[in-house]
Amino acid sequence: MSNVQPARKRERAIDLFKGLLVLGMVYCHTLQFFSDQQIYPNGQRVIDVINLITFSGFVFSFGYVSQLAYYTKSFRQAAPRMLVAAVKTLGAFYVSGLAYRLFIDGKLLSWATVRPILLLQDMPGWSEFLWSFTYLMIAGLILFVPLKALAGRQWLGFAAAGLLLLTTWLPYGSIHAMKLGPLIGTRDFASFPVLQYFPYYLVGILFARYRISWDWRVLALAAALSGAFLWRLIAHDGALPERFPPSVWWIIGPALLLYGYFLLGKLMERYPAPFVVFETMGRNVLWYLVMSNVIIFALKGNQQGNVLVSAQSGFYLAAAVLGVVTFTIWIITKKSK
């Protein structure tokens, strides 16, 4: 692994990496809402793979981008921007969560519907990850100084990421507070606990700080982790490990695929023209995640089960949703330079 080099302001490769994750997430949501896995079993396989890699991938990219945008600066310089990012993400949770309650659950637009979401007393479906992203940004801010110090010692940083895997053995069954679920995990509802996924944030910081790209040691480690996941999968006759809350197998499972995604982003960066849309998605992740959710929720509520797609046609529907969101970005008037 190479020596520390000055971080560049922005890297297109990580935007492309995030763009690939956005495509997968919207495709997954499309299949979950508009497909029937009893009729189209291939769709469930797609959903399982995307579920495995997506949140971990976004956490990794958040760590990577945070290193470039925040951890190369002083706390005083970085803190306001990190707080703004957290507020934006919380706002995204509010919008997505309210859309779910209105369009999917059919609730009335009333204070009784809005208030629990605003006060973080309600966890609407397919919006949980946005609450977790908010916690992630806050955790990155609170741990600003120790994270900078930890990242300054490369192998210590990787060792700390490994030790954090022990948090997957927390007594999840004893955690019942709504606001703690997205932070440390619970069995009461679906959530993406920041603590258990934090190894990917830390690894993302290290990748950005030490300019890690192709490295056979990283490949070997990622292959070993994903290999352990496959061994567990085979040993349990193809049954996936626990996701809500995550087991250690679920956390380590996507390592090899995500490293492949990361290297693919590096390759795509060399040929910018064909992948402009992916870069746009990666630069505007929050907008794509929120607006795609709103469109999918509204369409599902309007169609009432009248749309049924296969894995292939579901991809086309997801592409159409992403096309609409891309159009909304295109028509925005931008400030002249």
Side-chain angles (χ1 to χ4, degrees):
M1 300 179 188
S2 59
N3 295 327
V4 181
Q5 299 175 6
R8 289 171 284 181
K9 290 184 178 180
R10 190 174 193 101
E11 291 190 10
R12 294 177 52 252
I14 199 66
D15 288 329
L16 291 163
F17 173 86
K18 290 186 290 180
L20 291 170
L21 293 175
V22 170
L23 173 62
M25 188 169 195
V26 175
Y27 182 27
C28 178
H29 287 180
T30 301
L31 292 178
Q32 288 173 323
F33 279 94
F34 299 108
S35 189
D36 185 334
Q37 278 65 61
Q38 298 297 321
I39 301 174
Y40 301 110
N42 288 339
Q44 186 58 54
R45 297 187 185 96
V46 173
I47 290 171
D48 290 340
V49 172
I50 295 175
N51 279 340
L52 179 66
I53 67 175
T54 301
F55 188 77
S56 296
F58 278 126
V59 172
F60 169 85
S61 68
F62 272 34
Y64 197 102
V65 172
S66 293
Q67 170 61 29
L68 299 177
Y70 308 132
Y71 296 122
T72 55
K73 299 177 174 62
S74 68
F75 179 80
R76 180 175 294 183
Q77 291 173 313
R81 294 179 61 195
M82 296 182 79
L83 282 174
V84 168
V87 170
K88 286 181 178 179
T89 311
L90 182 60
F93 167 77
Y94 289 151
V95 173
S96 179
L98 182 59
Y100 184 89
R101 291 294 180 233
L102 296 179
F103 297 133
I104 301 300
D105 290 344
K107 290 191 175 184
L108 296 176
L109 180 58
S110 64
W111 183 238
T113 300
V114 174
R115 183 178 179 276
I117 299 174
L118 290 179
L119 298 180
L120 302 180
Q121 296 172 344
D122 183 21
M123 182 72 80
W126 281 265
S127 305
E128 309 94 341
F129 63 97
L130 293 166
W131 187 340
S132 297
F133 286 157
T134 303
Y135 274 165
L136 182 63
M137 293 306 301
I138 295 172
L141 175 60
I142 293 174
L143 299 174
F144 188 91
V145 174
L147 282 174
K148 285 190 71 170
L150 194 61
R153 299 180 179 182
Q154 187 177 10
W155 290 108
L156 184 60
F158 278 106
L163 287 174
L164 281 169
L165 294 174
L166 296 175
T167 62
T168 56
W169 278 279
L170 283 178
Y172 293 125
S174 62
I175 303 166
H176 304 291
M178 174 69 72
K179 294 180 179 64
L180 285 180
L183 183 62
I184 60 176
T186 180
R187 296 195 185 281
D188 292 352
F189 53 86
S191 64
F192 299 85
V194 169
L195 181 61
Q196 286 76 7
Y197 284 96
F198 206 75
Y200 284 103
Y201 186 81
L202 185 52
V203 169
I205 291 174
L206 295 169
F207 264 60
R209 179 177 172 87
Y210 294 96
R211 325 309 302 154
I212 297 172
S213 183
W214 163 254
D215 190 305
W216 68 267
R217 292 166 294 181
V218 175
L219 177 64
L221 178 58
L225 293 174
S226 291
F229 167 83
L230 288 175
W231 170 82
R232 193 270 179 199
L233 193 68
I234 294 169
H236 288 75
D237 298 320
L240 288 170
E242 189 174 23
R243 181 188 180 203
F244 297 124
S247 67
V248 66
W249 307 107
W250 185 267
I251 297 297
I252 67 174
L256 184 60
L257 285 173
L258 288 178
Y259 188 46
Y261 262 48
F262 179 75
L263 294 177
L264 179 59
K266 293 284 188 181
L267 178 63
M268 293 165 68
E269 186 180 26
R270 300 179 185 177
Y271 310 96
F275 306 114
V276 171
V277 172
F278 287 97
E279 190 175 348
T280 300
M281 291 191 291
R283 285 176 175 265
N284 301 280
V285 167
L286 208 54
W287 179 255
Y288 274 89
L289 296 186
V290 173
M291 291 308 299
S292 64
N293 267 6
V294 171
I295 293 171
I296 289 171
F297 297 161
L299 183 60
K300 179 65 176 180
N302 175 263
Q303 294 300 308
Q304 295 296 322
N306 293 323
V307 175
L308 185 64
V309 299
S310 64
Q312 181 177 353
S313 55
F315 182 83
Y316 298 144
L317 180 56
V321 170
L322 288 169
V324 172
V325 181
T326 302
F327 176 73
T328 65
I329 291 178
W330 182 55
I331 62 176
I332 292 174
T333 300
K334 299 175 180 63
K335 184 178 180 180
S336 58
K337 295 182 180 179

